[in-house]
């Protein structure tokens, strides 16, 4: 329970694992949930302009960066809607990627708790991150299945008795990245946000890839800090600081160059 009266679910670890396009180049503890919140690189094409009425600078974008940002913002604006067949199919695809040997009995099922959702209906948790948070999880499962399964089943490291819930943590990571990168603004107002848009102009899947890197980074910090569920907020803050630091390192030409990318395995 946080100081705003929100609720969250901690997952007790019983065993080491569960028992059972355009100018963009396409390559595609504060838990935010349905109830409340638990919630260096050169910039030759980006110029900072400080307004007299605004203490923070804004950054001009190239046409390619502006178009890519608008496309990403369109994704961010889509809420998860359980009545839309495409959203239903994506949720089923996530289950099949997570538990390929177990048949899903329904989109509303107690089985979802095994993935780290708060209840039997994941749609209530997606309200904090929208449809893009489901897309992020699905991208992770499809592109880095080994890391996805390791985190889902808590297979690496000396784990806490009370672990963070995998899926709800994923929604929170989506939410944190949107805030950190200032993606709902017309123009980025932070250096890290402007830097990210250079990556996005080169790779339309940059946000999804950064999500995967961040999830793995968060888990590594969780282990190094020997954290338990009450420490989730602290771990997320540390994750954000580390991610900002790595994004601004010199000689980083693409997301695959940042140090924590090496944590991911396919």
């Amino acid at each position: 329970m946080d100081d705003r009266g929100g609720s969250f679910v901690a997952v007790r670890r019983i065993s080491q694992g569960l028992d059972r396009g355009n100018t963009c180049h396409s390559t595609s503890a504060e838990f935010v949930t349905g109830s409340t919140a638990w919630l260096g690189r050169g910039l030759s094409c980006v110029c900072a302009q400080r307004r007299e009425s605004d203490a923070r600078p804004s950054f001009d974008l190239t046409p390619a960066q502006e178009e890519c940002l608008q496309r990403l913002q369109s994704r961010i604006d889509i809420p998860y809607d359980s009545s839309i067949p495409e959203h239903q199919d994506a949720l089923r695809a996530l289950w099949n990627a997570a538990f390929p040997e177990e048949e899903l009995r329904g989109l509303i099922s107690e089985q979802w708790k095994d993935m780290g959702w708060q209840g039997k209906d994941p749609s209530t948790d997606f309200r904090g991150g929208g449809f893009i948070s489901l897309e992020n999880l699905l991208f992770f499962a499809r592109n880095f299945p080994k890391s996805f399964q390791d985190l889902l089943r808590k297979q690496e490291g000396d784990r806490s008795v009370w672990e963070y819930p995998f899926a709800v943590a994923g929604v929170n990571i989506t939410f944190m990245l949107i805030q950190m990168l200032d993606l709902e603004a017309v123009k980025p107002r932070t250096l890290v946000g402007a830097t990210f848009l250079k990556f996005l102009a080169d790779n339309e899947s940059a946000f999804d890839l950064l999500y995967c890197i961040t999830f793995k980074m968060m888990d590594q910090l969780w282990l190094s800090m020997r954290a338990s569920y009450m420490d989730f907020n602290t771990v997320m803050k540390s994750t954000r600081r580390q991610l900002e630091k790595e994004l601004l390192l010199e000689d980083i030409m693409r997301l695959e160059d940042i140090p924590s990318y090496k944590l991911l395995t396919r």
Side-chain angles (χ1 to χ4, degrees):
M1 184 78 68
D2 67 8
D3 57 6
R4 289 165 292 179
S7 61
F8 60 84
V9 173
V11 176
R12 186 176 185 184
R13 185 175 62 85
I14 303 302
S15 61
Q16 189 68 6
L18 297 175
D19 287 332
R20 35 179 187 171
N22 53 38
T23 56
C24 305
H25 301 288
S26 299
T27 54
S28 216
E30 191 165 323
F31 273 109
V32 176
T33 66
S35 53
T36 333
W38 189 57
L39 256 207
R41 174 175 164 82
L43 294 173
S44 57
C45 297
V46 183
C47 302
Q49 295 179 333
R50 186 173 297 276
R51 303 176 184 144
E52 292 181 359
S53 60
D54 190 349
R56 293 195 295 175
S58 65
F59 295 82
D60 285 340
L61 304 178
T62 67
Q65 291 168 349
E66 186 172 358
E67 182 177 350
C68 290
L69 175 59
Q70 290 172 352
R71 287 170 60 85
L72 179 55
Q73 288 173 333
S74 295
R75 291 179 62 195
I76 292 170
D77 288 341
I78 299 173
Y80 179 83
D81 187 338
S82 59
S83 68
I84 297 177
E86 178 188 357
H87 294 197
Q88 297 173 7
D89 291 344
L91 191 56
R92 290 190 187 95
L94 178 62
W95 176 269
N96 292 334
F99 303 110
E101 298 179 356
E102 182 176 348
E103 183 179 356
L104 179 65
R105 293 189 288 271
L107 294 181
I108 298 178
S109 169
E110 294 290 335
Q111 291 172 286
W112 289 108
K113 295 180 182 179
D114 293 335
M115 195 184 293
W117 300 105
Q118 290 196 108
K120 61 183 180 180
D121 183 3
S123 67
T124 61
D125 291 333
F126 280 126
R127 292 172 191 165
F131 183 58
I132 194 172
S133 59
L134 172 54
E135 292 181 312
N136 290 157
L137 281 166
L138 196 50
F139 180 93
F140 193 9
R142 288 172 170 170
N143 289 273
F144 300 97
K146 173 72 165 59
S147 289
F148 179 88
Q149 289 291 334
D150 286 346
L151 298 188
L152 170 65
R153 300 170 186 269
K154 305 295 190 295
Q155 290 179 328
E156 292 186 341
D158 184 13
R159 313 301 308 199
S160 168
V161 173
W162 292 97
E163 279 287 326
Y164 63 85
F166 171 78
V168 176
V171 174
N172 275 264
I173 289 171
T174 298
F175 185 82
M176 182 270 282
L177 287 175
I178 292 171
Q179 287 191 321
M180 184 190 84
L181 300 172
D182 205 17
L183 293 177
E184 294 180 299
V186 175
K187 294 181 180 181
R189 294 169 294 183
T190 64
L191 183 57
V192 70
T195 301
F196 170 74
L197 290 183
K198 292 182 68 97
F199 298 131
L200 185 64
D202 292 333
N203 178 1
E204 194 177 14
S205 297
F207 184 78
D208 303 89
L209 178 57
L210 186 61
Y211 171 90
C212 300
I213 295 169
T214 306
F215 211 144
K216 187 65 177 177
M217 177 190 293
M218 184 277 290
D219 190 72
Q220 288 293 110
L221 288 169
W222 177 275
L223 291 172
S224 67
M225 296 168 67
R226 303 186 66 84
S228 187
Y229 74 95
M230 290 296 290
D231 304 312
F232 187 82
N233 276 354
T234 301
V235 175
M236 285 291 284
K237 290 175 182 176
S238 296
T239 301
R240 175 168 175 164
R241 287 193 297 268
Q242 180 64 25
L243 186 61
E244 289 174 332
K245 178 181 177 181
E246 293 193 15
L247 284 171
L248 296 177
L249 289 172
E250 294 182 0
D251 301 324
I252 302 296
M253 304 306 298
R254 55 182 190 146
L255 285 177
E256 290 87 345
D257 295 332
I258 72 174
S260 289
Y261 175 79
K262 297 181 177 66
L263 297 174
L264 291 169
T265 53
R266 297 182 186 274

